[in-house]
Amino acid sequence: MASLRDWLDRAASGARLPSTRALVAEHGVSPVTVQRALRVLAAEGRIETRPGVGTFARARVLTRPADYDWQTEALSLSTPSAPRSPSALQSVHGDVLALHSGYPDRELTPESLVRAAFRRAARSDAITERPPTAGLPGLQAWFAAETAAEADAAAAPIAASDVVVLPGSQGGLTTAFRVLVGTGRSLVLESPTYWGAILAARQVGVRIVPVPSGAAGPSPEAVDRALAESGARAFYAQPNFASPTGAQWSPGLRRDILQVVQARGAFLIEDDAAHEFGISAPARPVIGQDVSGHVVYLRSLSKSVAPAIRVAAIVARGPARQRILADTEVESIYVSSMLQTVALDVVTQPAWRSHLRRLAQQLGARRDLLVAALTEHAPSVTLEQVPAGGLNLWARLPEGTDLARFVTGCRALGVTVGNGDEWFPAEPTGPFVRLNYAGPNPSAFPDAARAIGQVLNDGAW
Amino acid sequence: MASLRDWLDRAASGARLPSTRALVAEHGVSPVTVQRALRVLAAEGRIETRPGVGTFARARVLTRPADYDWQTEALSLSTPSAPRSPSALQSVHGDVLALHSGYPDRELTPESLVRAAFRRAARSDAITERPPTAGLPGLQAWFAAETAAEADAAAAPIAASDVVVLPGSQGGLTTAFRVLVGTGRSLVLESPTYWGAILAARQVGVRIVPVPSGAAGPSPEAVDRALAESGARAFYAQPNFASPTGAQWSPGLRRDILQVVQARGAFLIEDDAAHEFGISAPARPVIGQDVSGHVVYLRSLSKSVAPAIRVAAIVARGPARQRILADTEVESIYVSSMLQTVALDVVTQPAWRSHLRRLAQQLGARRDLLVAALTEHAPSVTLEQVPAGGLNLWARLPEGTDLARFVTGCRALGVTVGNGDEWFPAEPTGPFVRLNYAGPNPSAFPDAARAIGQVLNDGAW
């Protein structure tokens, strides 16, 4: 397919494609594969088949752009400016060493389990079923059982009916912010925090109240002051292996923050995005200590099971759960039964548990390799901590570093890094980068660290 | 699985399940299927396996509910009241004759094409790929080519890059209303119109400006007045086989509404939800006549391909497209590559076209059967028109009918109907019901019509 596209890029309009038979022979693929590739290219308008004659390259039509100026006035009435796509979403190709991504590499996912589960699901009713809007009962029950298994005996019960299955956790953030906060109201966020939460907060139009957070998490006193002064009724946080800092809250901090939130009659929106990525410690959700429904809990399977499995869940008790379900019904109606069925199949396999144990070892080895490479080749980079889990290092560059120039300089040497400014809802407190150690090709980490060191040395900052 | 659940419902806590071998023999399924069912039931906490001993039913644990009263005060700060789930989403079981649904029956979907496409995709990189946030390029190109193929020569070009792929069209509605209208601003809607659009408008908090619409669609003068008086910059409509009325705009009405929208510097948000469901006429999108990017166009594949394929697209040109992409990135980041790959595979098969031709015949036969049954058995029901496409009849009941009692009365006789009030953004103009002729078991339409006639006769309205 890719080579056919290359051929078309070079071909003159009207050039005749090789026959299916020739393409089969040349690429060593089946006739079915060739036919499918031709159908896709025809749908794209890149080729044209004349029955009985052959298949031909089509000219790329260049048309004069229409005038859409009128939209500027019409749109000015609504949302003021669109948020920019964060660097963690960028796709890169070729020989680039990608440390910017927020996602784990293919070799860290249970790919064969997922393939087998899709094959089974393709024979089942999951294709034709429209599941309940709150999710497949079996998957709701699994999320509830997982969460309850890590809870204290005194915690409020977590039932399958407290779970709402979502098409990814990002939509869960906008839902939680709409329902639990609301446009114009205040929401307390860690600073730095996950860029997706910052964008969701801006889209909903909540007033962001930042509290500083570092390697040990936020201070309970700062959270209490922020809630009191702003009147906010919600605090969004990642208590386990936070993005970007990697911080995991201590048992004492979990208890203290929960007490603060309870005393202020507020919600803790707990984003457990890195639940499966514990290395030297397992994730310990705060919801496991919650006795009165103050924690609304988000968990996703997209990163840990497979990118194709856009499946997440939000756990909420009491009236909050009803409002959340009503909001998600309006936003997405229901989540594909196929994706839910495959997710449930994978996570209930015995092999899922052994995959997670292996994953912890792999992540640990990769983390330590990148830390060692930075220590050796980029000694002016500071790590506040080696995180106990997650996919990233949060690295401080020397004071005075021009972050935009640094990121561009690394890119020129074939290394992509996450510009730390994107994780700050308020002013950045220094020049930071987020470095993903879960991406492809860890054997090149020393080369990446050398490039980072070289850019820091070369730059006339 | 269902019979195991039934068994568990009746079983005492601690009762021992039959052996896997016995279950295999009893149900004629494979050992793998039995093991999978047991894993799911274990995840749900309904059974417990003691290695070497056997598998046992678990008691359903009843715990005292925690006290979530504090949430009432915290939540009162935000969204005032949750919208109720509309009847079109309700799942019914057993012997009920379902005329209430908004979805086509399994036999009207290209099930075997979808299964085959899932099997192919399960072998491909679609499992491990994270696609671009705007969608798989091939699928973007297909949506663009489909839409452009029905356009006038003078229309503004539709490129693959004008397409944003979405996880279902419902999210496209909230995105379009957020981006093109905005909280507190005005949006013109047909009345009656699709319930999902009404809920989306309420969630975004736009001010709804209704214009009456019937069998011929809305009047251009009414739309013009509504835009002028409210200052709205957007009109949401379904010009082809609208839900619930089934109306299709005439060529003249398409031209007139487009002129009104252009003259007012407004957007037409065209929801082409029933594109594939033309019976006596094909769908004719208004975007095909749009020369200056006034039409933002929504199309979904969930109803026509399979419920599991939560894939839709929004087509917008100019600045609107940028804002729409930014909004969908915040709401859903990206759509599963598996679902996109399967959708593209199905709609580019030659068999897809023959499926659509057969579908038109099937829908026509079902529509005519239900119309004839109502004429014979429920003569006091009025149809303003026999729709040229879509999945539903929009039926007016005799003046003075108590709609809630009528719906309950039908339900008692085993027939579910859509309460017409749910499609009115303003006051209902009469007692209407929506009757889906695309559901399961069309041979029972005469029975359903008899039940409707009986409830109308019996009722002391």
Side-chain angles (χ1 to χ4, degrees), chain B residues 34-68:
Chain B
V34 170
Q35 289 298 337
R36 195 160 65 237
L38 294 178
R39 276 204 311 276
V40 170
L41 291 168
E44 293 178 18
R46 303 214 49 189
I47 60 171
E48 181 178 32
T49 299
R50 297 182 210 138
V53 184
T55 303
F56 300 88
R58 280 185 63 179
R60 295 199 173 217
V61 180
L62 296 173
T63 45
R64 174 191 293 275
D67 183 2
Y68 304 128

Side-chain angles (χ1 to χ4, degrees), chain B residues 417-458:
Chain B
V417 301
N419 183 325
D421 288 358
E422 294 172 3
W423 282 268
F424 284 94
E427 292 72 20
T429 53
F432 288 92
V433 288
R434 199 188 71 166
L435 305 175
N436 179 331
Y437 49 77
N441 195 13
S443 62
F445 284 171
D447 295 339
R450 256 188 293 268
I452 289 171
Q454 184 186 330
V455 174
L456 287 175
N457 282 334
D458 290 357

Side-chain angles (χ1 to χ4, degrees), chain B residues 246-409:
Chain B
Q248 182 177 31
W249 296 2
S250 69
L253 184 59
R254 289 203 298 273
R255 188 194 58 231
D256 291 348
I257 297 269
L258 194 50
Q259 280 176 356
V260 163
V261 161
Q262 283 174 351
R264 295 281 170 200
F267 290 97
L268 173 65
I269 302 170
E270 179 178 26
D271 183 355
D272 202 12
H275 187 90
E276 293 86 354
F277 302 138
I279 297 173
S280 33
R284 290 277 175 224
V286 180
I287 193 174
Q289 293 173 251
D290 174 27
V291 297
S292 45
H294 283 268
V295 180
V296 170
Y297 175 81
L298 262 168
R299 179 152 169 210
S300 170
L301 296 176
S302 299
K303 287 192 183 183
S304 55
V305 173
I309 303 300
R310 295 292 293 154
V311 171
I314 192 163
V315 180
R317 282 76 59 89
R321 186 262 180 195
Q322 279 312 109
R323 294 209 191 175
I324 284 169
L325 177 59
D327 188 272
T328 58
E329 283 178 342
V330 174
E331 194 57 54
S332 55
I333 306 190
Y334 66 90
V335 180
S336 166
S337 273
M338 277 296 283
L339 301 187
Q340 294 192 65
T341 300
V342 169
L344 180 61
D345 185 334
V346 170
V347 296
T348 53
Q349 300 279 350
W352 169 247
R353 291 282 150 206
S354 40
H355 164 75
L356 290 180
R357 282 191 296 275
R358 205 166 45 244
L359 176 62
Q361 290 163 2
Q362 290 170 305
L363 286 176
R366 284 160 157 268
R367 177 196 63 185
D368 297 343
L369 179 60
L370 185 55
V371 170
L374 288 170
T375 308
E376 183 174 352
H377 301 297
S380 65
V381 170
T382 321
L383 298 176
E384 265 186 88
Q385 71 174 344
V386 175
L391 307 178
N392 309 290
L393 301 181
W394 181 237
R396 183 193 279 268
L397 306 181
E399 211 55 42
T401 303
D402 179 327
L403 197 49
R405 283 182 61 188
F406 173 78
V407 170
T408 310

Side-chain angles (χ1 to χ4, degrees), chain A residues 138-363:
Chain A
L139 188 59
Q140 287 180 294
W142 180 83
F143 275 114
E146 277 268 307
T147 313
E150 291 160 346
D152 294 354
I158 297 168
S161 58
D162 297 328
V163 175
V164 177
V165 178
L166 306 167
S169 63
Q170 185 64 30
L173 293 178
T174 56
T175 287
F177 296 169
R178 267 194 300 268
V179 165
L180 307 177
V181 187
T183 306
R185 304 280 169 181
S186 296
L187 168 69
V188 178
L189 290 183
E190 296 171 282
S191 179
T193 192
Y194 170 51
W195 57 261
I198 301 171
L199 292 184
R202 290 196 187 132
Q203 191 202 73
V204 175
V206 305
R207 199 167 72 82
I208 293 175
V209 182
V211 293
S213 190
S219 123
E221 293 74 26
V223 173
D224 189 49
R225 275 195 307 274
L227 290 170
E229 289 172 10
S230 67
R233 287 300 187 97
F235 172 38
Y236 166 84
Q238 297 190 331
N240 284 288
F241 323 126
S243 176
T245 62
Q248 183 177 31
W249 296 3
S250 69
L253 184 59
R254 289 203 298 272
R255 189 194 56 230
D256 291 348
I257 297 267
L258 194 51
Q259 280 175 357
V260 163
V261 163
Q262 283 173 351
R264 294 284 171 201
F267 290 97
L268 172 65
I269 302 170
E270 177 178 27
D271 183 357
D272 203 12
H275 187 90
E276 293 86 355
F277 302 138
I279 298 173
S280 32
R284 290 277 177 223
V286 180
I287 194 174
Q289 295 174 247
D290 173 27
V291 296
S292 45
H294 283 269
V295 179
V296 169
Y297 176 81
L298 262 167
R299 181 153 168 208
S300 171
L301 297 175
S302 300
K303 286 192 184 184
S304 56
V305 173
I309 304 299
R310 296 292 293 156
V311 171
I314 192 162
V315 180
R317 280 79 56 90
R321 187 262 178 194
Q322 279 312 109
R323 295 210 191 173
I324 284 169
L325 176 59
D327 188 272
T328 59
E329 283 179 342
V330 175
E331 193 58 54
S332 55
I333 307 191
Y334 67 89
V335 179
S336 166
S337 273
M338 277 296 282
L339 302 187
Q340 294 193 65
T341 300
V342 170
L344 180 60
D345 185 334
V346 169
V347 297
T348 53
Q349 301 278 351
W352 168 248
R353 292 283 148 203
S354 41
H355 163 76
L356 291 180
R357 282 192 295 274
R358 205 166 46 244
L359 176 62
Q361 292 165 0
Q362 290 170 306
L363 286 176

Side-chain angles (χ1 to χ4, degrees), chain A residues 32 36 39-40 43-44 63-64 66-68 70-86 88-91 101 103 106 109 111 114-115 118-130 132-133 137-138 141-142 145 156-157 167 170-171 174-175 178-183 185 194-196 199-200 203 231 233 265-267 291-294 302 306-310 317-323 326-339 344-345 348-350, chain B residues 32 36 39-40 43-44 63-64 66-68 70-80 82-86 88-91 101 103 106 109 111 114-115 118-130 132-133 137-138 141-142 145 156-157 167 170-171 174-175 178-183 185 194-196 199-200 203 231 233 265-267 291-294 302 306-310 317-323 326-339 344-345 348-350:
Chain A
V32 173
R36 197 160 63 237
R39 274 203 313 276
V40 171
E44 293 178 18
T63 44
R64 174 192 294 275
D67 183 0
Y68 303 128
W70 68 272
Q71 291 188 358
T72 304
E73 190 204 340
L75 288 171
S76 72
L77 288 169
S78 65
T79 38
S81 71
R84 283 226 336 271
S85 297
L89 287 184
Q90 283 163 16
S91 297
S101 167
Y103 295 84
R106 175 173 185 164
T109 63
E111 187 178 330
V114 178
R115 285 189 195 282
F118 262 116
R119 283 196 301 271
R120 278 190 288 272
R123 291 192 297 267
S124 77
D125 282 351
I127 285 192
T128 51
E129 262 174 11
R130 196 162 51 79
T133 53
W142 180 83
Q170 185 64 30
T174 56
T175 287
R178 267 194 300 268
V179 165
L180 307 177
V181 187
T183 306
R185 304 280 169 181
Y194 170 51
W195 57 261
L199 292 184
Q203 191 202 73
R233 287 300 187 97
F267 290 97
V291 296
S292 45
H294 283 269
S302 300
I309 304 299
R310 296 292 293 156
R317 280 79 56 90
R321 187 262 178 194
Q322 279 312 109
R323 295 210 191 173
D327 188 272
T328 59
E329 283 179 342
V330 175
E331 193 58 54
S332 55
I333 307 191
Y334 67 89
V335 179
S336 166
S337 273
M338 277 296 282
L339 302 187
L344 180 60
D345 185 334
T348 53
Q349 301 278 351
Chain B
V32 173
R36 195 160 65 237
R39 276 204 311 276
V40 170
E44 293 178 18
T63 45
R64 174 191 293 275
D67 183 2
Y68 304 128
W70 68 272
Q71 290 188 358
T72 303
E73 189 203 341
L75 288 170
S76 72
L77 289 169
S78 65
T79 38
R84 283 225 337 269
S85 298
L89 287 183
Q90 284 164 15
S91 298
S101 165
Y103 296 83
R106 174 171 187 166
T109 62
E111 187 178 329
V114 178
R115 286 189 194 281
F118 262 114
R119 283 197 299 271
R120 280 190 287 273
R123 291 192 296 268
S124 78
D125 282 351
I127 285 191
T128 52
E129 262 174 11
R130 197 162 48 81
T133 54
W142 180 82
Q170 185 63 29
T174 56
T175 287
R178 268 194 299 269
V179 165
L180 307 177
V181 186
T183 306
R185 303 281 170 183
Y194 170 51
W195 57 261
L199 292 184
Q203 190 201 75
R233 286 302 187 94
F267 290 97
V291 297
S292 45
H294 283 268
S302 299
I309 303 300
R310 295 292 293 154
R317 282 76 59 89
R321 186 262 180 195
Q322 279 312 109
R323 294 209 191 175
D327 188 272
T328 58
E329 283 178 342
V330 174
E331 194 57 54
S332 55
I333 306 190
Y334 66 90
V335 180
S336 166
S337 273
M338 277 296 283
L339 301 187
L344 180 61
D345 185 334
T348 53
Q349 300 279 350

Side-chain angles (χ1 to χ4, degrees), chain A residues 69 79 154 306 421 439:
Chain A
D69 281 2
T79 38
D421 289 358

